[in-house]
Amino acid sequence: MIRLLKTKKFIFGAGFLIILLSLSVLNTVVNDGKIRQIPYVYNEDGSLEKAPPYPPFDVFLFGSDMYGYDMLHTVIEGAKYSIGIVLVVALLRMILSIVLSYFLFRVPNRIFNWIKAVSEPLSFFPQTLITYFLLATVVMYTIHGFHHPLWVRVVYEFIILILIALPSLTVQLIQQKRSVWKEEFIESAITLGGSKRHIYFKHVLPQLYEEWVLMFGQQFLQVLTLLVHLGVMLVLFGGTITGEGPPSSVTHEWSGLIGLNKRFMLAYEWIVYVPILFFAMTALSVAMINKALSDFFKDKDMVRKNREV
């Protein structure tokens, strides 16, 4: 483990996420979640010098939005929601799939083939489209307001984001467990009289937990990508407020910043590029952590095999 903590990929990836989340939480705790804003810049004689949006390296390092809010500060404030949502969804996907696969991995082949036949077509259909149609009618603001309170919309979105990947992920885990269950050492354990539960927890799980850690990183990236796609389609987490003015977000997370500001793409491109940049850096950080973990597990296996020899 100490060797993993010294890996440059792991240090960079984990360091970026920890610093970003810490700054985001601190801004809420210390600054009450307020974002730095400069509506206008005046000359010494009181005449107007500049008006938002300010380009990068002018008033703020990463520029401002149309209302003079610092883009870097805005992205930092929204980081805890964006990364937090993705973490919770990816974690619950893995936990529920592991639990379901525990009860289903030893079902007869006939039933497993039926489960596989039902789940596989879902993995080929774009998750973004399914999620969009399931969420759009619930999270969009109408002339009568939202049909459901915020907590209902949030819970419903969590459920949809989790369920959309559950069938294919569960089947994948079942296949892994069935493959391990066919190994010779499992047959030996059964012959020696080990109970099924004992064999599962003592022999099957140790063979798979490393793969599950890597799969969690993959799920994190999938959910991150899905949120960006939904943001572009103006299906924002917590709800999209539409009316006479431009659409706005309830939670102000990153995908909302991208979706709501895409209309400024050609004129004030930094307003869209800044949240995209942080989305990309978050994805890169998680990919680097996964790569570091993968190399660590491989080295660990090699050391174990050399000891056995």
Side-chain angles (χ1 to χ4, degrees):
M1 184 57 74
I2 294 175
R3 195 168 68 251
L4 173 66
L5 296 177
K6 291 180 179 177
T7 310
K8 289 180 182 176
K9 293 187 182 74
F10 188 85
I11 292 172
F12 177 84
F16 175 78
L17 294 178
I18 290 171
I19 291 172
L20 191 59
L21 284 172
S22 301
L23 290 174
S24 184
V25 172
L26 276 175
N27 188 60
T28 301
V29 174
V30 178
N31 200 28
D32 200 24
K34 293 177 182 174
I35 298 170
R36 192 164 50 163
Q37 181 191 25
I38 298 181
Y40 299 101
V41 177
Y42 295 96
N43 290 314
E44 292 182 356
D45 60 2
S47 60
L48 182 65
E49 180 183 356
K50 297 174 186 174
Y54 308 115
F57 305 107
D58 188 0
V59 176
F60 300 119
L61 179 64
F62 284 72
S64 79
D65 64 7
M66 297 298 292
Y67 307 102
Y69 286 104
D70 183 355
M71 284 306 301
L72 177 60
H73 203 166
T74 304
V75 169
I76 288 175
E77 170 59 19
K80 58 182 170 294
Y81 300 111
S82 306
I83 297 175
I85 291 164
V86 176
L87 273 175
V88 170
V89 172
L91 188 63
L92 289 178
R93 280 182 177 185
M94 287 303 302
I95 291 173
L96 290 175
S97 297
I98 290 170
V99 172
L100 282 174
S101 62
Y102 171 76
F103 293 105
L104 295 173
F105 88 100
R106 294 190 67 246
V107 296
N109 284 335
R110 179 172 52 83
I111 298 176
F112 175 65
N113 289 335
W114 180 82
I115 296 172
K116 198 174 170 185
V118 171
S119 66
E120 276 188 345
L122 291 175
S123 62
F124 292 109
F125 200 81
Q127 289 187 2
T128 305
L129 285 180
I130 301 175
T131 313
Y132 173 81
F133 289 121
L134 290 173
L135 292 180
T137 55
V138 175
V139 302
M140 298 299 282
Y141 189 86
T142 68
I143 192 171
H144 303 294
F146 287 115
H147 291 303
H148 307 283
L150 176 62
W151 73 268
V152 172
R153 299 196 302 273
V154 168
V155 171
Y156 178 73
E157 289 193 60
F158 270 122
I159 291 172
I160 296 300
L161 291 173
I162 292 166
L163 289 183
I164 197 72
L166 213 54
S168 58
L169 190 57
T170 303
V171 166
Q172 193 176 347
L173 295 182
I174 291 174
Q175 287 176 321
Q176 288 179 347
K177 292 177 181 178
R178 288 168 77 94
S179 176
V180 174
W181 196 264
K182 293 175 183 174
E183 295 285 340
E184 289 183 3
F185 66 91
I186 297 292
E187 291 181 14
S188 302
I190 295 172
T191 305
L192 291 172
S195 68
K196 291 174 184 174
R197 180 173 296 181
H198 173 82
I199 293 170
Y200 181 83
F201 287 103
K202 291 292 182 182
H203 298 288
V204 176
L205 286 190
Q207 298 292 319
L208 295 175
Y209 80 91
E210 293 177 355
E211 290 186 43
W212 293 349
V213 172
L214 299 178
M215 288 174 70
F216 170 75
Q218 293 166 2
Q219 288 302 313
F220 186 97
L221 295 176
Q222 279 188 18
V223 179
L224 201 64
T225 307
L226 182 58
L227 283 183
V228 175
H229 291 170
L230 291 174
V232 172
M233 299 167 82
L234 286 181
V235 175
L236 311 180
F237 196 88
T240 309
I241 301 173
T242 56
E244 295 180 356
S248 59
S249 168
V250 172
T251 57
H252 304 290
E253 42 84 29
W254 291 353
S255 62
L257 292 177
I258 297 171
L260 297 173
N261 293 312
K262 65 182 180 185
R263 62 186 186 278
F264 304 121
M265 189 76 177
L266 298 178
Y268 312 112
E269 62 278 1
W270 66 87
I271 300 178
V272 180
Y273 285 158
V274 172
I276 289 176
L277 172 67
F278 276 80
F279 254 123
M281 289 184 69
T282 301
L284 178 65
S285 300
V286 174
M288 292 177 79
I289 292 172
N290 245 26
K291 176 62 178 166
L293 284 168
S294 176
D295 294 341
F296 173 73
F297 291 147
K298 283 178 185 174
D299 291 342
K300 196 176 161 188
D301 282 344
M302 196 175 294
V303 171
R304 187 171 61 227
K305 286 176 183 176
N306 288 336
R307 283 178 183 169
E308 289 174 359
V309 171

